[in-house]
Amino acid sequence: MNQESDSNDEPAGQDPLLLLKTIQLLWTKKEMKKLKEEIRRGFAGLEDPLAGLLDILESSTDWKGKGHSLGYYITSELQLWMKEHPAVQQSGMKLKKLQTRVLRILAQCPANLLDPLISIYQLHTADRNYLLGHVSHLYHRGDYKEAAILSIKLKLQPDQDVEKMCMPLLFQDKINLMEDYVGEYPELQCKLLQILDTWCEPGFNIRDIARQYQGLSRYKPDKLNRKMLSKLVFRLLDRFNVDPALCPNVINQRHLRTLNYLFYKRFVEKTMTQENWTDHVQSTVGENQWLQGHLIQLLISYCDLNTAARWAQRCNMPKEILPNRVADELQKLKIQESVEEATKAENYEEINKKDYYQLPIPRANIHFLQKWEEMLQCWEKVLQPGQIVAIDMEWRPSFGMVGKPRVSLLQIAVKDEVFLLDLPQLLEQAEMEGEKEKLPHFIQMLYSDAAITKLGYGMSGDLSSLAATCFALKGMDKQSQGVVDLLTVDKQLQKASIDWKKGSRKVEQSYEDKGIRQPEKGLSLLVQHVLGKPLDKTEQLSNWEKRPLREEQIIYAASDAYCLLEIYEKLCKDPASFGLNSDLTKSLVGKPTIKARAKKQLNKQEVPSPCGQQCKGSEKETSCPPAPISAKEFSVVCDNMLQGLGRYLRCLGVDVRMLENEDDHRKAAEIARQEGRVILTSGLPYQTLQSQVGEGRCFSVNCSEKAKEQALQVLKHFNVHVTLEDIFSRCQVCNCNKYLKVPKERMRQLVEGSKHSAGDGGTSCSTPCEEKSSRTCDAAQRTETTQSEWLERTDPCGAAVGLEEGTTLQVAAIPPGVLDKAELTDFYCCTRCGKVFWEGSHFGRVVSQFKDVIVITGDEQSIYKLS
């Protein structure tokens, strides 16, 4: 052994394979200093160090794994050594031979070896056609990911077909790699978006495209649907800052969803005024005849032919494209009828304004400010030490379109007065006068002054929109002091006051009895609870960019801010009557918590503390953890992009409903309200869904994380305690928690019977059989669970065992050999879908993966040790 490591008598480096043995020994012993010296001494003794490295890599396999392998260490050391000895660089024909060899290695090496090898062997100088040919060879071999990665590293994208290279990545769920492929090339970005938009055309069959690519791994046809592609296109439009007009199909589909939403708000919820609704419908439809056609169909469905005909007249739609009944109705209309008369034909019950919060100040005390000179009065009254200021913002609804909302109106309320700042006009004026920092300076002074109490509701979202409107205000959430976010108070009230929740349901019922719309959630409900009447939100979805503002908009904007002052005043006078602590002001005024960007949305949906106060840590105040809840008491509804998360939660005993791929996101809110579930969603739908349920009842998970990490995030956020009894207590396929226990010998009879039945042309089960997977078939089910109901039944003879509602056992899905396992005594079958489970190694893996949230009871210690 000592002779091998001694290089004084006969240098080990003269033979690359002998050098490899020596450094492998040092690597095993973790003698890194000697290893480094030996690598450098060895390469110095090689006749051709570059060829020697390839000999080492070709003769060893330990470099193929992820992480810093020995191969990576050797390559990195050679790269450093070459900088000190530039003469070893090769050229000409010798370099070309080395490049040919290294390309074969690149196809199978880990990502961290690519850049060093490309640099050492100067692959950027290699013949481009040869490189393209090598990548093409990988591609036709079915190594789509490897071909794309190598193309990115060698910057070959401009000479390749973007559709040919990117589509297999999309089918294999390698979306991040697809984005990186076009990331530095605007032309390719546009081509990719146009291709994806084409796939979103109605009637386009994506599976026909998938058939062109052989050997696709991880391809799930059901997951790659039009809705998923539409979301992807919008995200890429935003990331690459591309004109949305490039993607007419997804834009039209998004506008159509907006139309459906507007009809729902107007005619079902009845929470939009006629004027706001008309304004949004006109701006959404525009001159697009495809959207106009859908508008007419919606009007026929929700209204009548007369209304549809008037809108057809308003949009100047040709009679040829109108339904015959609408065209006939249009003939009957008189030309002189004005557009305003159409509102009389629509059935809409006016809301009695007296049933809502009334602004307690005269109209003269509401100041609409559009010039800087008018701002001086606001400045003097607001920036006073000890002043209490309520702040709110309004912007035009984006209805899920690309880009962040830009604030159109900033409302600042003090005692007896409200200032409405026309933000776009004031910013434009300041820029024209060369003083564009003037208004941001005023806002920064206001938020950073700890002597001024600032009231808001969901302030983190407002500050984010403010930063998107004016770049100078970016990062202001870090500078803010003396802030009271009444959204936090709202959460504490909901947690502290059980009677309020019951009362809110009575209020909703009373409004239904009166035949008008239910009051809004969120701030409206808080106003109802504290001040006695809800806030009228019918102007909330106005077009706040349009000038001049209507009188109804001005009153609404002023009320939206001023009500915060009244809420705060009443809560401070008597916090105990609302279930709050007496030190309300002290505990809530402070600097907003600063978190990483990935957790921004989590800040807005923090679960309220059960004690209604904050716990003090060593350096800063942090929220108390929510009260623990057991897995069997926790019920959720998962949006359709989170089905992997849903399966993991079911695996841990959580009651999970999952939306189908074709379901609209809003269905999650309906299920949550009807069944008392928490909504789990991600991305843009969160903004819509959170406003349709109570505070803390909608949670946005990090979509960049894997399903297991998402499950841990959810369980920790809601403080869900999982016991060993909870694991696999629910069927991961259908969510049922009742099982049929079948002895192994009886299951063997059923399997044999199913084979005979199949031979006779019969069918062994009424539901599709699934293949074995580590998550389901090999799951470890245990009879000691109390949540699930294990049913032992005397099964009728025959090939299929009938269960509830005609379901039959999926015995054909049991792989060969399972019935021969001596340790197996029983099988457990879902009574709803017929899925068959048996004890296996998956139980131990799940316990290991989720040990941070699993609570081990005394009775379960022995089970835990066995797992």
Side-chain angles (χ1 to χ4, degrees):
M1 186 179 294
N2 293 333
Q3 290 178 350
E4 279 189 5
S5 60
D6 187 356
S7 59
N8 293 329
D9 298 330
E10 185 176 343
Q14 292 178 354
D15 182 355
L17 301 185
L18 186 58
L19 172 63
L20 175 61
K21 291 182 179 179
T22 304
I23 60 182
Q24 279 177 334
L25 181 62
L26 294 172
W27 174 263
T28 304
K29 294 181 177 181
K30 303 296 180 184
E31 298 179 9
M32 306 310 291
K33 185 175 181 180
K34 290 184 180 179
L35 176 64
K36 182 176 181 178
E37 293 172 356
E38 189 66 35
I39 290 173
R40 287 174 170 261
R41 186 163 55 246
F43 278 122
L46 290 176
E47 180 181 353
D48 185 348
L50 273 66
L53 175 62
L54 294 180
D55 290 337
I56 290 173
L57 294 177
E58 289 169 348
S59 302
S60 175
T61 57
D62 63 1
W63 55 270
K64 294 183 180 182
K66 293 183 179 179
H68 288 193
S69 61
L70 176 58
Y72 175 77
Y73 191 84
I74 296 171
T75 305
S76 300
E77 285 299 325
L78 174 61
Q79 197 174 17
L80 294 172
W81 182 80
M82 286 178 63
K83 292 180 180 179
E84 302 169 7
H85 303 82
V88 301
Q89 291 281 7
Q90 299 285 357
S91 60
M93 203 61 173
K94 200 167 186 178
L95 177 62
K96 287 185 178 180
K97 291 181 178 180
L98 292 174
Q99 289 173 340
T100 301
R101 288 179 65 188
V102 78
L103 280 172
R104 290 196 293 268
I105 294 176
L106 289 178
Q108 51 185 328
C109 75
N112 60 1
L113 266 176
L114 287 174
D115 288 328
L117 291 176
I118 288 172
S119 173
I120 291 171
Y121 295 96
Q122 308 171 57
L123 285 178
H124 287 296
T125 67
D127 181 72
R128 197 167 181 83
N129 289 329
Y130 178 74
L131 295 176
L132 288 167
H134 178 74
V135 170
S136 179
H137 173 71
L138 290 175
Y139 181 92
H140 290 295
R141 203 171 68 186
D143 296 332
Y144 303 114
K145 182 185 77 171
E146 292 75 11
I149 292 174
L150 198 55
S151 298
I152 294 170
K153 295 294 184 182
L154 299 175
K155 300 186 182 300
L156 302 176
Q157 299 98 308
D159 296 323
Q160 294 174 320
D161 185 335
V162 65
E163 181 175 8
K164 175 183 172 183
M165 295 299 296
C166 287
M167 293 310 102
L169 302 178
L170 180 61
F171 286 123
Q172 292 181 306
D173 201 22
K174 304 289 183 184
I175 295 176
N176 290 337
L177 182 58
M178 181 184 73
E179 292 179 36
D180 291 340
Y181 182 85
V182 300
E184 298 180 7
Y185 302 93
E187 289 186 6
L188 298 185
Q189 294 167 8
C190 293
K191 287 181 180 178
L192 174 62
L193 283 166
Q194 286 176 316
I195 293 166
L196 294 177
D197 182 66
T198 302
W199 287 21
C200 293
E201 287 181 0
F204 188 91
N205 192 338
I206 298 174
R207 299 193 186 202
D208 289 344
I209 302 295
R211 294 190 187 100
Q212 301 175 17
Y213 304 99
Q214 296 181 354
L216 288 175
S217 62
R218 300 179 64 185
Y219 171 49
K220 298 179 180 179
D222 295 335
K223 185 177 179 181
L224 196 63
N225 52 54
R226 192 172 293 111
K227 183 176 286 188
M228 173 266 181
L229 287 174
S230 177
K231 292 176 185 176
L232 176 61
V233 169
F234 273 100
R235 185 167 63 78
L236 295 182
L237 284 171
D238 190 34
R239 175 184 170 179
F240 298 140
N241 195 24
V242 175
D243 184 2
L246 194 68
C247 303
N249 288 309
V250 295
I251 296 298
N252 282 343
Q253 291 297 329
R254 181 61 60 88
H255 283 317
L256 180 58
R257 285 194 288 273
T258 298
L259 266 183
N260 281 290
Y261 177 69
L262 290 171
F263 272 83
Y264 177 81
K265 296 292 285 186
R266 170 69 177 145
F267 298 105
V268 179
E269 281 192 353
K270 300 184 178 179
T271 53
M272 285 189 76
T273 64
Q274 171 68 23
E275 191 163 0
N276 284 335
W277 181 80
T278 300
D279 189 23
H280 283 308
V281 168
Q282 284 181 317
S283 62
T284 300
V285 172
E287 298 181 1
N288 187 314
Q289 286 194 355
W290 185 80
L291 289 171
Q292 289 174 352
H294 282 279
L295 170 62
I296 296 301
Q297 294 297 335
L298 286 168
L299 288 166
I300 295 172
S301 175
Y302 282 90
C303 303
D304 52 36
L305 290 175
N306 185 271
T307 305
R310 291 180 185 278
W311 271 94
Q313 188 181 53
R314 175 180 291 180
C315 296
N316 294 317
M317 294 178 65
K319 294 182 180 179
E320 301 78 41
I321 67 171
L322 293 174
N324 292 333
R325 294 184 300 160
V326 178
D328 293 341
E329 188 68 24
L330 187 60
Q331 290 285 357
K332 302 174 184 178
L333 291 176
K334 298 180 181 179
I335 298 177
Q336 66 269 24
E337 286 182 318
S338 63
V339 173
E340 287 75 17
E341 289 178 353
T343 61
K344 298 177 183 179
E346 299 183 15
N347 180 26
Y348 179 69
E349 298 181 19
E350 289 297 326
I351 299 170
N352 186 355
K353 299 296 180 182
K354 293 181 181 179
D355 291 330
Y356 291 92
Y357 168 81
Q358 298 295 304
L359 192 63
I361 62 174
R363 175 62 177 84
N365 289 15
I366 304 174
H367 312 285
F368 185 64
L369 310 180
Q370 290 184 297
K371 297 180 180 179
W372 183 250
E373 296 76 23
E374 302 168 340
M375 278 292 300
L376 298 177
Q377 176 191 7
C378 174
W379 186 309
E380 292 173 358
K381 291 198 175 183
V382 170
L383 299 181
Q384 294 289 332
Q387 182 70 278
I388 299 177
V389 181
I391 304 172
D392 192 39
M393 302 172 202
E394 306 294 345
W395 51 79
R396 180 176 180 175
S398 62
F399 299 114
M401 297 303 288
V402 177
K404 294 181 179 179
R406 297 173 62 85
V407 178
S408 301
L409 193 70
L410 176 63
Q411 304 107 278
I412 300 177
V414 294
K415 185 65 174 176
D416 296 327
E417 285 191 275
V418 180
F419 301 94
L420 306 180
L421 280 60
D422 188 349
L423 218 55
Q425 181 65 30
L426 288 168
L427 289 172
E428 183 181 349
Q429 180 189 349
E431 188 169 358
M432 289 176 62
E433 296 175 359
E435 298 179 332
K436 60 181 182 180
E437 299 299 324
K438 191 182 291 186
L439 182 58
H441 178 63
F442 162 70
I443 297 173
Q444 286 169 343
M445 286 179 63
L446 172 60
Y447 273 97
S448 61
D449 192 339
I452 301 174
T453 300
K454 277 78 63 178
L455 309 177
Y457 190 89
M459 194 167 283
S460 60
D462 287 347
L463 289 175
S464 176
S465 297
L466 202 56
T469 306
C470 179
F471 183 78
L473 297 174
K474 191 173 183 180
M476 200 166 60
D477 55 334
K478 301 175 184 178
Q479 308 166 18
S480 300
Q481 299 185 73
V483 170
V484 178
D485 193 338
L486 290 176
L487 176 58
T488 305
V489 185
D490 193 0
K491 293 174 181 178
Q492 293 182 2
L493 285 170
Q494 291 188 52
K495 193 71 178 180
S497 178
I498 304 300
D499 291 337
W500 176 28
K501 295 181 180 179
K502 295 178 181 177
S504 67
R505 286 193 288 268
K506 291 178 182 177
V507 170
E508 292 179 8
Q509 186 61 47
S510 68
Y511 272 73
E512 288 176 354
D513 294 341
K514 292 179 181 180
I516 61 176
R517 66 156 178 85
Q518 296 181 6
E520 293 283 341
K521 304 289 182 181
L523 178 58
S524 176
L525 199 55
L526 178 62
V527 175
Q528 160 74 32
H529 180 45
V530 179
L531 303 180
K533 291 183 179 181
L535 187 65
D536 183 9
K537 305 290 282 187
T538 52
E539 293 292 339
Q540 184 181 30
L541 294 178
S542 298
N543 183 356
W544 292 100
E545 293 179 357
K546 189 176 181 180
R547 296 292 182 269
L549 292 177
R550 292 177 285 103
E551 185 65 16
E552 293 83 359
Q553 289 178 290
I554 291 173
I555 298 299
Y556 166 79
S559 302
D560 219 15
Y562 201 86
C563 69
L564 301 177
L565 290 174
E566 295 201 88
I567 290 172
Y568 183 70
E569 180 182 7
K570 191 162 184 180
L571 290 178
C572 286
K573 282 182 179 179
D574 188 12
S577 66
F578 294 95
L580 301 174
N581 287 337
S582 57
D583 59 347
L584 173 72
T585 307
K586 182 179 178 181
S587 65
L588 291 177
V589 177
K591 191 172 181 178
T593 305
I594 302 167
K595 294 190 178 181
R597 181 181 179 187
K599 297 182 180 178
K600 275 185 178 179
Q601 284 190 321
L602 301 187
N603 294 346
K604 298 170 64 179
Q605 53 191 3
E606 194 170 347
V607 173
S609 161
C611 59
Q613 57 183 325
Q614 289 183 318
C615 302
K616 292 188 178 181
S618 58
E619 296 181 0
K620 62 182 181 179
E621 293 183 345
T622 56
S623 297
C624 297
I629 182 174
S630 66
K632 61 185 176 183
E633 294 173 327
F634 188 51
S635 61
V636 301
V637 51
C638 282
D639 212 339
N640 43 28
M641 81 283 280
L642 298 174
Q643 293 180 359
L645 166 62
R647 286 191 291 271
Y648 264 111
L649 292 177
R650 281 180 182 170
C651 169
L652 297 170
V654 175
D655 181 2
V656 181
R657 282 197 60 178
M658 289 189 277
L659 297 192
E660 301 296 333
N661 287 327
E662 63 274 9
D663 287 338
D664 189 273
H665 295 292
R666 289 191 291 270
K667 185 176 179 180
E670 296 175 14
I671 294 173
R673 289 194 297 266
Q674 292 169 3
E675 303 179 13
R677 296 176 182 268
V678 170
I679 299 175
L680 301 182
T681 185
S682 182
L684 291 174
Y686 171 71
Q687 303 299 332
T688 302
L689 292 172
Q690 69 161 341
S691 64
Q692 299 182 24
V693 292
E695 295 300 336
R697 306 297 296 175
C698 182
F699 183 78
S700 177
V701 301
N702 188 347
C703 58
S704 65
E705 292 183 343
K706 293 184 178 179
K708 186 190 80 174
E709 282 71 29
Q710 290 175 344
L712 282 169
Q713 180 189 7
V714 170
L715 295 171
K716 289 179 180 180
H717 181 82
F718 289 98
N719 201 5
V720 179
H721 285 191
V722 180
T723 67
L724 296 181
E725 290 183 345
D726 293 321
I727 299 175
F728 299 122
S729 58
R730 284 188 175 273
C731 176
Q732 296 173 64
V733 178
C734 69
N735 198 43
C736 178
N737 66 345
K738 294 182 180 180
Y739 292 82
L740 177 70
K741 184 177 178 181
V742 180
K744 182 168 69 173
E745 291 307 315
R746 178 65 180 128
M747 183 59 72
R748 192 188 304 276
Q749 294 173 9
L750 294 172
V751 171
E752 292 299 323
S754 70
K755 292 178 182 177
H756 294 313
S757 176
D760 296 333
T763 304
S764 63
C765 59
S766 61
T767 55
C769 295
E770 296 184 10
E771 295 180 358
K772 175 181 176 182
S773 72
S774 62
R775 288 185 182 173
T776 53
C777 294
D778 196 26
Q781 311 289 356
R782 304 183 322 287
T783 57
E784 52 265 32
T785 179
T786 56
Q787 178 184 355
S788 302
E789 185 179 342
W790 303 108
L791 305 175
E792 299 194 39
R793 298 180 181 173
T794 303
D795 309 317
C797 297
V801 179
L803 301 175
E804 296 178 5
E805 299 180 1
T807 305
T808 55
L809 292 186
Q810 298 182 25
V811 294
I814 301 175
V818 172
L819 286 163
D820 298 328
K821 291 184 178 181
E823 65 273 16
L824 282 182
T825 58
D826 298 292
F827 288 79
Y828 304 97
C829 313
C830 176
T831 59
R832 181 181 298 167
C833 69
K835 186 74 177 176
V836 181
F837 300 87
W838 58 91
E839 294 182 356
S841 60
H842 195 34
F843 176 76
R845 289 199 295 272
V846 171
V847 172
S848 175
Q849 289 174 332
F850 293 95
K851 59 185 177 182
D852 291 344
V853 293
I854 293 177
V855 179
I856 308 296
T857 63
D859 296 336
E860 294 177 327
Q861 289 292 342
S862 59
I863 300 174
Y864 180 67
K865 290 176 182 177
L866 288 171
S867 66

